[in-house]
Amino acid sequence: MELLLSEEEIQKRVKDLALEISKDYKGVSPVLIGILRGSFVFLSDLIRHLTILPEIDFMSVSSYNTLTKSSGVVRILKDLERDIGGENVIVVEDIVDTGLTLTYISRLLMARLPRSLKICALLDKRERREVDIQIDYVGFVIPNKFVIGYGLDLAEKYRNLPYVATLEESEIGEPEENTP
Ligand code: 5GP
């Protein structure tokens, strides 16, 4: 495990992002949609630095991933509680990798006719992008390595780390390999 982003670096960048969003949405109450589970740490830090009054909702999706690869097929496990028709929506995601998950989620949300829809992601693994998707607010562009911490997991562990670290292939292991 190797440190990629320290707690201090993350906190500073999250605060800057919140100030940028507050400036762009001055006088507007956007609906922030956290994509569970990875984004909950980022979202909770982000909203505490906002100087506007957002509403918060959550959506939980499962993307039929293997441990480290996305398939782009998304199933809704928990939908929004509220209607977003006519609202200014900001989707808050932990990491954009191939971009398939967010493309799917954006299409799904656009069909509900929000007034506007923007995307905010803490981490952007740009090298791995398979579909062209605009990320309006990006915390950090990171190299093509598997990361954990600050909400991001490996098999549900490490989400509680206050920093982001990279794991080597040997530390990850695919589930197939563990199955007898
Ligand atoms: P995408 O559809 O953009 O390829 O994948 C997005 C999702 O894959 C993220 O929401 C996250 O759940 C997962 N993911 C992608 N890269 C990583 C990574 O480096 N670490 C962790 N923990 N999850 C990742």
Side-chain angles (χ1 to χ4, degrees), residues 91-106:
V91 176
V92 180
E93 179 62 301
D94 51 358
I95 184 166
V96 188
D97 187 18
T98 62
L100 291 166
T101 307
L102 264 182
T103 301
Y104 193 96
I105 292 173
S106 305

Side-chain angles (χ1 to χ4, degrees), residues 15-32:
K15 189 173 179 187
D16 288 348
L17 277 177
L19 296 180
E20 199 183 329
I21 292 171
S22 301
K23 212 167 100 207
D24 293 352
Y25 287 81
K26 202 163 183 239
V28 181
S29 287
V31 180
L32 266 58

Side-chain angles (χ1 to χ4, degrees), residues 83-152:
D83 179 18
I84 54 161
E87 299 289 347
N88 293 289
V89 171
I90 306 175
V91 176
V92 180
E93 179 62 301
D94 51 358
I95 184 166
V96 188
D97 187 18
T98 62
L100 291 166
T101 307
L102 264 182
T103 301
Y104 193 96
I105 292 173
S106 305
R107 279 204 199 120
L108 199 117
L109 295 179
M110 282 308 283
R112 300 178 187 183
L113 306 178
R115 184 184 169 97
S116 65
L117 187 137
K118 287 197 179 186
I119 294 173
C120 172
L122 179 72
L123 306 174
D124 181 356
K125 247 194 240 178
R126 213 162 271 179
E127 271 175 60
R128 296 245 313 159
R129 201 75 90 253
E130 286 177 22
V131 282
D132 193 19
I133 178 163
Q134 186 187 333
I135 317 291
D136 304 281
Y137 302 100
V138 177
F140 301 91
V141 175
I142 61 163
N144 181 14
K145 294 238 170 113
F146 190 79
V147 291
I148 45 132
Y150 200 70
L152 289 138

Side-chain angles (χ1 to χ4, degrees), residues 38-61:
S39 73
F40 78 101
V41 179
F42 174 40
L43 181 73
S44 55
D45 278 344
L46 185 76
I47 57 172
R48 281 179 285 178
H49 291 295
L50 291 174
T51 58
I52 49 173
L53 285 177
E55 288 183 38
I56 315 293
D57 204 344
F58 292 96
M59 189 171 212
S60 177
V61 300

